[in-house]
C-alpha cells in the first residue's frame, strides 16, 4: 500500500499515540448513544496500539458546536460505551489541549485509554489552524488517523497535526482505503456502479467520474427521471416525477460521454407509481409509455427493471453502490432496492462479486434489505465516500502517503 500504516511506525512501547477517531455517533435527547458502530470500528486499532505498549489518547469531533463548549456536544457522554467496547477504563479529559491533557497523560495507567473533549469546541479545528494543531500534538510522540469519514476535510486534527509527528493510518482507515481502491481505482472487471439520489444536480461530479471508470452504470432514484426524459421518455414530467428540466442537456452530455467510454447506462424499464407519497399508498406498476401524466408519482422501479439489473450484476465482478433505487423508506417502495441488494449479497456470498457500498441513505437502505453485513465492505463515511467516488483527493488521506 502507498500509505503509511501502523506497521511503519516501529517500536511504540512507552510512546504517546494520538489517535484521531470519528466518534460522531447518533445520540438521543437523554445523551444515550443509539448506534455504537463508529465506536466499535475504532476498537481494533486502539487495542493493537495498546498491545504494542503505547499510551493511546483518542481525539474526535462530535456534533456541530460551532467553536464553543456545551454539554449537548460533549464527548463525555460516550465514555461508558467506549469502555464497554474496549474492555478498558476510559479516562475523560474536559479539554483537548493544554495542561489538563498533559497531566492526564502523565498519570495514565497501562490499561487505560484517554479520551479528550470535542475538537470542535475550538473554531481553530475547522479552520485547519496550524498553531492549534501544534497544541494538540504537543504531548504526543506519534499521530494515527482512523477517521476516514472526516478525511475530506482539511481540519487541523486531520491534516496539520499529521504533518507534525510521525503519522500513519489506523487499521480502520487502512481497511477503508483498501476496499475503496479495490472497488473503484483497481477493480476486477466488469465493474458496475449503482447511483441513486433525488437530483442529478447534486451528483454531477460523481456521474461524470463514474462514466469514465465503470463498465455499467445503474442510474436510479429521482435522478433517473431526468435521464429517462433525456433519453426520449416523454411520459415523464414535472407533475409525476422529480425530473429536472434544466438538467436535460447535462444528462444528454453524460450519456454521450458514457458511450464514448464504453460505459453502459442502465435506466428503468418499468416503474411503480403511487397515488400518494406515503407508505402502503395505492400503487401500480406501469410500462414507460403508460406513465400517467398526473395524479400519480414515480416511487420505485418494477420487476422488469429489477430483473435487468440483476442480470447485469451476474456479468460483473465488482459493484460499487451509492443510493437506493426507489423511495425505500416507505413500504412497499423498497422492493427494488431490497431485491437487487439481496441478489448482490448472494453473489458476494458465492464469491462471484466484490461489493462496496457507502453513504448515509445507502447504509440505511441495505440495512432495511437485511444485507448490511453481507456486502464485502460497507463504508460509514458519507461525504468522504462520495468525494472518493467523485475521484477527488482527500486531504486527510493524501497527508498519509509514503
Amino acid at each position: 500500500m502507498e500509505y503509511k500504516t501502523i506497521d511503519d511506525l516501529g517500536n511504540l512501547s512507552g510512546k504517546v499515540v494520538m489517535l484521531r477517531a470519528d466518534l460522531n455517533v447518533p445520540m438521543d435527547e437523554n445523551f444515550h448513544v443509539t448506534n455504537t458502530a463508529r465506536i466499535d470500528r475504532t476498537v481494533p486499532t486502539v487495542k493493537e496500539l495498546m498491545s504494542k505498549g503505547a499510551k493511546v489518547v483518542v481525539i474526535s469531533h462530535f456534533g456541530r458546536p460551532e467553536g464553543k463548549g456545551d454539554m449537548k456536544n460533549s464527548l463525555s457522554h460516550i465514555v461508558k460505551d467506549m469502555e464497554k467496547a474496549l474492555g478498558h477504563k476510559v479516562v475523560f479529559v474536559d479539554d483537548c489541549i493544554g495542561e489538563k491533557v498533559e497531566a492526564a497523560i502523565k498519570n495514565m495507567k497501562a490499561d487505560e485509554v484517554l479520551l479528550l473533549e470535542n475538537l470542535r469546541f475550538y473554531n481553530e479545528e475547522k479552520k485547519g489552524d496550524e498553531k492549534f494543531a501544534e497544541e494538540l500534538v504537543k504531548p504526543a510522540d506519534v499521530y494515527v488517523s482512523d477517521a476516514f469519514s472526516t478525511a475530506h476535510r482539511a481540519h487541523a486534527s486531520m491534516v496539520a497535526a499529521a504533518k507534525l509527528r510521525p503519522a500513519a493510518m489506523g487499521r480502520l482507515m487502512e481497511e477503508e482505503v483498501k476496499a475503496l481502491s479495490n472497488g473503484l481505482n483497481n477493480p476486477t472487471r466488469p465493474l458496475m456502479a449503482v447511483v441513486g439520489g433525488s437530483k442529478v444536480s447534486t451528483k454531477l461530479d460523481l456521474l461524470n467520474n463514474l462514466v469514465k471508470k465503470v463498465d455499467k452504470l445503474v442510474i436510479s432514484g429521482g435522478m433517473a427521471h431526468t435521464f429517462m426524459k433525456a433519453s426520449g421518455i416523454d411520459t415523464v414530467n414535472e407533475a409525476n416525477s422529480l425530473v429536472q428540466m434544466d438538467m436535460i442537456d447535462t444528462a444528454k452530455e453524460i450519456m454521450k460521454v458514457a458511450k464514448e467510454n464504453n460505459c453502459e447506462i442502465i435506466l428503468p424499464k418499468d416503474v411503480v407509481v403511487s397515488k400518494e407519497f406515503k407508505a402502503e399508498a395505492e400503487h401500480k406498476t406501469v410500462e414507460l409509455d403508460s406513465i400517467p401524466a398526473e395524479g400519480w408519482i414515480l416511487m420505485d422501479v418494477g420487476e422488469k427493471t429489477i430483473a435487468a439489473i440483476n442480470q447485469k450484476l451476474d456479468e460483473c465482478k465488482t459493484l460499487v453502490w451509492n443510493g437506493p433505487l426507489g423511495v425505500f423508506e416507505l413500504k412497499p417502495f423498497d422492493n427494488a432496492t431490497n431485491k437487487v441488494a439481496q441478489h448482490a449479497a448472494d453473489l458476494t456470498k458465492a464469491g462471484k462479486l466484490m461489493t462496496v457500498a457507502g453513504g448515509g441513505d445507502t447504509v440505511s437502505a441495505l440495512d432495511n434489505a437485511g444485507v448490511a453485513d453481507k456486502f464485502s465492505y460497507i463504508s460509514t463515511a458519507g461525504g468522504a465516500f462520495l468525494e472518493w467516488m467523485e475521484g477527488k483527493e482527500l486531504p486527510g488521506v493524501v497527508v498519509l502517503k509514503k
Side-chain angles (χ1 to χ4, degrees):
M1 186 177 277
E2 56 179 324
Y3 301 99
K4 290 175 282 186
T5 71
I6 291 172
D7 301 324
D8 298 304
L9 292 174
N11 183 11
L12 295 176
S13 183
K15 291 187 177 178
V16 177
V17 176
M18 188 155 280
L19 175 63
R20 177 46 161 112
D22 179 3
L23 302 175
N24 191 24
V25 293
M27 201 175 284
D28 65 21
E29 62 276 7
N30 297 312
F31 305 123
H32 295 138
V33 177
T34 55
N35 186 324
T36 62
R38 283 184 166 166
I39 295 172
D40 298 337
R41 294 180 86 170
T42 305
V43 169
T45 297
V46 176
K47 285 193 168 181
E48 182 175 346
L49 291 171
M50 290 179 78
S51 74
K52 291 177 181 290
K55 290 183 175 183
V56 182
V57 180
V58 182
I59 56 173
S60 177
H61 69 289
F62 180 76
R64 298 178 184 274
E66 303 305 331
K68 57 181 184 290
D70 59 71
M71 276 308 292
K72 177 188 168 188
N73 291 297
S74 174
L75 279 168
S76 61
H77 302 305
I78 74 163
V79 169
K80 287 182 181 177
D81 293 281
M82 268 192 80
E83 287 185 333
K84 186 178 177 183
L86 282 168
H88 290 278
K89 180 175 175 57
V90 174
V91 177
F92 178 73
V93 183
D94 63 0
D95 206 340
C96 59
I97 58 173
E99 292 178 4
K100 277 186 185 177
V101 176
E102 291 174 36
I105 291 172
K106 282 179 184 174
N107 294 327
M108 274 182 82
K109 294 174 183 172
D111 61 345
E112 292 178 343
V113 172
L114 218 59
L115 173 64
L116 307 189
E117 185 56 282
N118 193 346
L119 294 163
R120 290 186 184 171
F121 282 0
Y122 289 89
N123 275 321
E124 291 88 345
E125 159 66 0
K126 289 175 78 171
K127 290 177 181 175
D129 189 89
E130 289 183 15
K131 287 184 179 177
F132 176 69
E134 285 171 11
E135 286 295 308
L136 201 58
V137 300
K138 186 179 175 183
D141 301 303
V142 174
Y143 170 93
V144 173
S145 179
D146 238 0
F148 178 83
S149 46
T150 318
H152 58 313
R153 308 289 187 207
H155 291 172
S157 66
M158 293 301 304
V159 178
K163 294 176 180 177
L164 297 170
R165 293 289 183 273
M169 290 181 171
R171 296 306 184 199
L172 175 58
M173 185 184 271
E174 182 184 350
E175 181 185 331
E176 189 110 26
V177 169
K178 188 176 180 180
L180 297 188
S181 295
N182 289 342
L184 200 56
N185 297 357
N186 306 294
T188 305
R189 294 185 182 273
L191 165 63
M192 176 191 277
V194 171
V195 178
S198 57
K199 295 181 177 181
V200 175
S201 53
T202 62
K203 294 202 174 177
L204 273 181
D205 289 346
L206 177 59
L207 294 170
N208 281 317
N209 185 47
L210 289 180
V211 291
K212 296 167 190 167
K213 287 194 171 184
V214 308
D215 302 299
K216 303 174 195 295
L217 174 60
V218 176
I219 299 177
S220 59
M223 68 165 65
H225 307 164
T226 302
F227 280 87
M228 290 160 72
K229 188 77 172 177
S231 61
I233 310 299
D234 292 329
T235 49
V236 174
N237 62 50
E238 290 173 294
N240 62 20
S241 72
L242 290 176
V243 64
Q244 289 180 278
M245 296 304 293
D246 60 336
M247 298 299 292
I248 297 293
D249 288 343
T250 302
K252 286 180 179 177
E253 180 60 27
I254 290 170
M255 290 191 286
K256 177 172 172 279
V257 174
K259 192 172 183 179
E260 290 168 356
N261 286 273
N262 297 314
C263 168
E264 178 187 2
I265 289 184
I266 299 152
L267 295 173
K269 296 183 179 298
D270 57 350
V271 292
V272 178
V273 294
S274 169
K275 279 280 191 183
E276 296 177 86
F277 194 87
K278 69 175 188 180
E280 307 300 343
E282 182 185 345
H283 62 278
K284 61 183 179 180
T285 302
V286 297
E287 300 293 321
L288 299 184
D289 58 4
S290 305
I291 300 172
E294 56 185 317
W296 295 80
I297 315 160
L298 274 67
M299 297 286 278
D300 199 6
V301 294
E303 296 297 332
K304 278 187 181 178
T305 309
I306 294 167
I309 295 171
N310 285 346
Q311 185 182 346
K312 296 295 181 183
L313 263 181
D314 290 337
E315 301 168 5
C316 292
K317 297 291 184 186
T318 307
L319 169 68
V320 179
W321 188 322
N322 176 254
L325 300 178
V327 188
F328 79 95
E329 304 95 333
L330 305 175
K331 293 188 181 301
F333 310 112
D334 57 350
N335 181 57
T337 302
N338 291 351
K339 285 185 174 175
V340 174
Q342 285 155 7
H343 187 63
D346 289 342
L347 291 171
T348 306
K349 186 179 179 181
K352 296 178 180 177
L353 189 68
M354 191 252 190
T355 44
V356 178
D361 279 353
T362 313
V363 177
S364 299
L366 298 183
D367 204 33
N368 182 65
V371 300
D373 58 342
K374 295 172 183 172
F375 270 45
S376 306
Y377 194 81
I378 299 281
S379 171
T380 56
F385 178 83
L386 200 57
E387 289 198 18
W388 184 284
M389 284 185 71
E390 289 168 357
K392 295 175 181 174
E393 284 200 323
L394 310 185
V397 173
V398 174
V399 75
L400 298 171
K401 278 189 174 179
K402 283 186 176 176

